[in-house]
Amino acid sequence: MSLYNTELSRGSLMTLESKRIATLLLRQPNEAAWTYAIEIENILQKDTITTARRQANLIRARLTTLDLSGWQLIVQSESEIVQQLLLAAALKQNKLLSDFMCNVYISRQKKLESCVLPSNWDEFLIECAHLDSSVSGWSPSTKAKIFSHIVRILVEAKYLVDQKSMQLSPRSLHPVVRRYLSERHEKFIIDCLERVT
């Protein structure tokens, strides 16, 4: 099995959609109820069943790295908590994203660099290809789309100022998010998300 995959090309944090999926997961649906909610009720309000199914499955894969308490926080909390929890879930679920956060974002912070550069992405992918040869087979358009979604994820979570400048905007974790992650011994995720001091 490959260490890395291209699923980040399928979407960013999708905050509104994630809230809807978290609400659905709290009802603990069986597969029939899940399919009905996504394909018939169209709770994600997508134009096609294929898009709804693809995004719902990606969001579910991320959210199932959390637990019922995490889902409740996503449904009920203010945007900062929601975005940080969704980023934590995405980091837990996708090694490419977590490695990017550790090896590029945090590295840039430690060097007191002000932004992420496209060349950082290119260098990162070369390192990834040493660990997983399938990366070198990704098309340029796939690589560009993944990078675009990583940047968008970090903008949505307010870890980058905007997509154009890609200026670093390191955060301190919201106390609720820090407590949630600490109680579950998620030191690696906390280290990925906490401002380097």
Side-chain angles (χ1 to χ4, degrees), residues 63-97:
L63 292 184
T64 52
T65 67
L66 307 177
D67 56 18
L68 187 137
S69 296
W71 302 339
Q72 287 175 329
L73 284 170
I74 287 168
V75 170
Q76 298 169 356
S77 300
E78 64 184 78
S79 63
E80 183 182 5
I81 294 171
V82 173
Q83 289 158 349
Q84 289 186 359
L85 278 174
L86 290 178
L87 179 54
L91 289 167
K92 283 165 63 69
Q93 189 265 336
N94 191 283
K95 182 160 177 57
L96 186 70
L97 181 60

Side-chain angles (χ1 to χ4, degrees), residues 6 10 18 37 79 146:
T6 61
R10 297 181 198 160
S18 294
S79 63
I146 292 171

